[in-house]
Amino acid sequence: DIHSFPVYHRVSFIQVDTLSPVGLNSTTNRFLIRTAAPLPPKQTITIRPPPGFVFGGMENEQCIDVDPMIIKRQFDQEFNMKALIAGVTRLPEWMVCRVLKGQNAVVLTNEEPLLGGRPLIN
């Protein structure tokens, strides 16, 4: 038996910025994502890079270990890389970002409970 599952196209726009566009040094990446529909509780968005790109992440599978506003300031002010889409905000507290090094993927998960949980609004 082959078990199947639905694959949903959840993202309508994605922009990736980096602080170091060349070389093999580690760098900070910023992902700007516009969802095509609300992301229900316990659902995920998985980002897989092209060949040759490796997601590093932090300890405990964390995506970042500093305030997201510091990273935003680095991109917007220090490197003059303003977001191309309007209304960019940080992830709400019920969204969790993890770097799965074994799979070389970044996974955004809505951690709200199935019953009565909040969706990530598009």
Side-chain angles (χ1 to χ4, degrees):
D1 291 331
I2 298 175
H3 300 283
S4 63
F5 56 91
V7 175
Y8 299 104
H9 296 284
R10 300 187 191 281
V11 177
S12 65
F13 174 86
I14 186 168
Q15 174 185 337
V16 180
D17 294 326
T18 182
L19 294 180
S20 176
V22 294
L24 298 175
N25 294 331
S26 61
T27 185
T28 300
N29 293 298
R30 172 176 69 174
F31 292 87
L32 304 172
I33 298 170
R34 178 183 294 143
T35 55
L39 185 67
K42 301 299 181 200
Q43 298 297 308
T44 63
I45 295 173
T46 303
I47 301 170
R48 298 191 189 281
F53 187 101
V54 177
F55 285 122
M58 304 291 150
E59 294 181 19
N60 301 327
E61 298 183 336
Q62 294 179 351
C63 290
I64 59 174
D65 61 352
V66 297
D67 184 347
M69 296 313 289
I70 293 173
I71 294 174
K72 179 183 185 314
R73 193 175 316 116
Q74 281 183 306
F75 280 96
D76 292 352
Q77 296 171 3
E78 296 174 24
F79 287 83
N80 199 27
M81 300 171 86
K82 301 261 186 214
L84 293 178
I85 55 177
V88 175
T89 61
R90 70 173 81 187
L91 287 175
E93 65 274 1
W94 64 88
M95 292 294 298
V96 175
C97 179
R98 290 187 184 90
V99 177
L100 305 179
K101 292 182 182 180
Q103 299 176 23
N104 196 26
V106 171
V107 179
L108 303 172
T109 306
N110 183 340
E111 291 289 327
E112 284 285 286
L114 282 173
L115 297 175
R118 299 170 283 187
L120 175 67
I121 305 296
N122 57 327

